[in-house]
Amino acid sequence: YAKGEGEYVVKTTHPENPIFKDGAKAASGKVVSSLAEDVRMTCRKVKFYGLEIVSDKAKGKDEHYVGFKYKCRVVGQKGFNELAEESHSELSTFRRDSTDGKWLFLDGVTGAVE
């Protein structure tokens, strides 16, 4: 995300990621966008920086939990100036791909890291 490389984000997402598999859904259950569309729009609208990895814990040999913090600003929203800096955290699950052994993003819980 920090480099604005949306295609890379999609390529390094595990196929079992819910949005990768089924798309992003509204509360009604209707699919409103794909992972690729979401990532592309986020990369256009938000500048990410200050990534800090704060934890890395194995959950077996094929899964890891990675905790990180980052900062961002909304910069590309039509009709708005650059907005104030925001700080966020996430605990992400990465799973080793069974076909080639690469680590791929499975899912994440925002705000789960102190």
Side-chain angles (χ1 to χ4, degrees):
Y1 280 97
K3 293 182 178 182
E5 296 177 7
E7 288 182 32
Y8 177 80
V9 173
V10 174
K11 285 180 189 176
T12 58
T13 298
H14 198 281
E16 292 179 22
N17 173 283
I19 297 174
F20 187 89
K21 281 182 9 180
D22 302 323
K25 296 180 181 180
S28 66
K30 178 183 176 185
V31 175
V32 293
S33 68
S34 68
L35 176 65
E37 291 169 330
D38 279 0
V39 169
R40 188 171 36 256
M41 292 307 296
T42 299
C43 287
R44 283 187 194 150
K45 290 183 175 183
V46 182
K47 178 182 175 186
F48 294 90
Y49 52 93
L51 176 67
E52 177 187 1
I53 308 255
V54 296
S55 64
D56 179 9
K57 184 177 181 181
K59 181 187 175 195
K61 65 181 181 75
D62 293 324
E63 250 182 44
H64 272 260
Y65 295 126
V66 178
F68 60 93
K69 296 179 181 182
Y70 63 92
K71 296 177 182 176
C72 64
R73 289 179 189 270
V74 175
V75 295
Q77 191 162 344
K78 191 174 183 177
F80 289 89
N81 292 325
E82 185 173 302
L83 298 180
E85 178 178 277
E86 298 177 12
S87 295
H88 296 276
S89 68
E90 183 172 312
L91 181 62
S92 295
T93 302
F94 288 83
R95 183 176 291 163
R96 191 184 309 267
D97 185 49
S98 60
T99 58
D100 62 13
K102 291 182 180 177
W103 288 99
L104 302 173
F105 172 77
L106 180 63
D107 61 21
V109 179
T110 57
V113 175
E114 297 277 329

